[in-house]
Amino acid sequence: NKPNYNALGEKCTRMRKRDGKWSDYPCNRKLYTICEKPIDFYCGNYIVISKQTTKENAAAYCKKEFQSTLATITTATDAIQAQRACKKVAKAPHGCWIGLEQPFEKFDNGLQYQPIPGEKGGPNRDWENGKKPTTKDNVQKCAEILTKSGNWRGVPCDYERFIMCNGRGTGTIISEQDKKYLAETKKDETNHKIKEEERLTKDYQESEKTRQQSTAISNKNVNKNEDKHQDK
């Protein structure tokens, strides 16, 4: 029987171990968790993942799993493909992350944002209502693409939206830019790591030098005290 929302507040669902059937259960009780593994869908030059997360985590997922960045959309064709891709995992009102953050001038991989004209002089295919979020908005600092209209909307970066990455090795300007950007990022990370190791080594050497000096001074004072004691 379907749950009847009785007075016990059993508004959540559990699966019983003995027979695999479902039953209503209090939401504040602790149970083991069954998670669904994210599924990847390829659509045109994009990859969407059936997983919602923050913008930062989504960007990290693209980098780790596909060696790419979040969706870069620079043409009308890109916009159509991105909307179709997002529809595979998201339903209104939620959408998918794209690689833009304030001041919304460049995508995550460094490609410049350019307005995307609509069909036959219609509304642009980028920002919802034709308005890019202002830099004065301290909340809507990231961007998602909407499934219904295909337009973009500013949202807080800590919201959870579906992941949409650029496809790797597609031979497009976007994939080549991703390759270049990630190579530069890796080089910067390596240089930063080397500098950090050098800094830590230097700090250790200075600390060790200070410790040795302190030990020498301490030993010298002990010897002086012993000499004074012997003189007495």
Side-chain angles (χ1 to χ4, degrees):
N1 293 330
K2 188 177 178 180
N4 55 9
Y5 304 111
N6 60 33
L8 296 177
E10 297 177 338
K11 296 183 178 181
C12 289
T13 306
R14 68 171 176 174
M15 177 185 288
R16 296 196 303 237
K17 181 179 178 180
R18 65 177 182 272
D19 56 13
K21 292 185 177 181
W22 303 351
S23 66
D24 48 343
Y25 201 71
C27 299
N28 59 356
R29 300 285 183 84
K30 291 184 178 181
L31 293 174
Y32 290 103
T33 305
I34 301 176
C35 300
E36 180 181 4
K37 184 178 180 181
I39 301 173
D40 307 336
F41 296 94
Y42 289 74
C43 184
N45 296 323
Y46 300 101
I47 308 166
V48 287
I49 298 88
S50 60
K51 176 182 180 179
Q52 295 192 78
T53 186
T54 64
K55 202 298 189 152
E56 182 180 1
N57 290 339
Y61 191 95
C62 291
K63 182 179 178 181
K64 179 181 178 181
E65 299 296 330
F66 305 108
Q67 294 76 56
S68 68
T69 63
L70 284 168
T72 302
I73 305 171
T74 59
T75 67
T77 300
D78 291 342
I80 293 170
Q81 287 186 356
Q83 182 185 8
R84 288 175 179 171
C86 190
K87 282 183 176 180
K88 289 183 175 292
V89 294
K91 293 182 180 180
H94 292 177
C96 301
W97 288 120
I98 61 175
L100 276 177
E101 290 188 22
Q102 271 194 8
F104 305 112
E105 294 176 354
K106 290 184 178 181
F107 287 90
D108 288 353
N109 60 12
L111 282 181
Q112 192 75 28
Y113 156 72
Q114 296 289 344
I116 302 175
E119 187 176 2
K120 296 180 180 179
N124 281 3
R125 292 184 178 273
D126 44 33
W127 293 105
E128 187 177 38
N129 300 321
K131 295 181 180 180
K132 181 170 71 171
T134 67
T135 54
K136 294 180 180 180
D137 191 330
N138 293 320
V139 178
Q140 298 178 346
K141 293 186 175 182
C142 291
E144 66 174 330
I145 183 172
L146 303 172
T147 56
K148 187 174 181 179
S149 64
N151 290 128
W152 312 344
R153 178 173 64 185
V155 291
C157 300
D158 59 355
Y159 273 22
E160 294 194 343
R161 295 293 186 263
F162 288 97
I163 306 169
M164 182 160 60
C165 311
N166 295 321
R168 182 190 178 200
T170 57
T172 63
I173 293 175
I174 292 173
S175 67
E176 291 303 309
Q177 180 66 21
D178 270 2
K179 183 178 179 181
K180 178 181 177 181
Y181 167 78
L182 292 172
E184 291 174 350
T185 300
K186 185 176 181 180
K187 183 179 178 180
D188 290 341
E189 290 174 349
T190 300
N191 290 337
H192 176 75
K193 185 177 181 180
I194 292 172
K195 289 181 179 179
E196 184 65 14
E197 289 176 349
E198 290 176 346
R199 184 188 67 80
L200 292 173
T201 300
K202 184 178 179 180
D203 287 348
Y204 171 77
Q205 290 173 342
E206 290 179 351
S207 176
E208 185 65 14
K209 183 179 179 180
T210 301
R211 185 190 67 80
Q212 291 175 354
Q213 289 174 343
S214 297
T215 301
I217 293 172
S218 178
N219 290 337
K220 187 176 181 180
N221 290 334
V222 169
N223 292 334
K224 284 182 178 180
N225 291 332
E226 289 179 350
D227 292 340
K228 289 180 179 179
H229 182 72
Q230 289 176 359
D231 291 341
K232 289 180 180 180

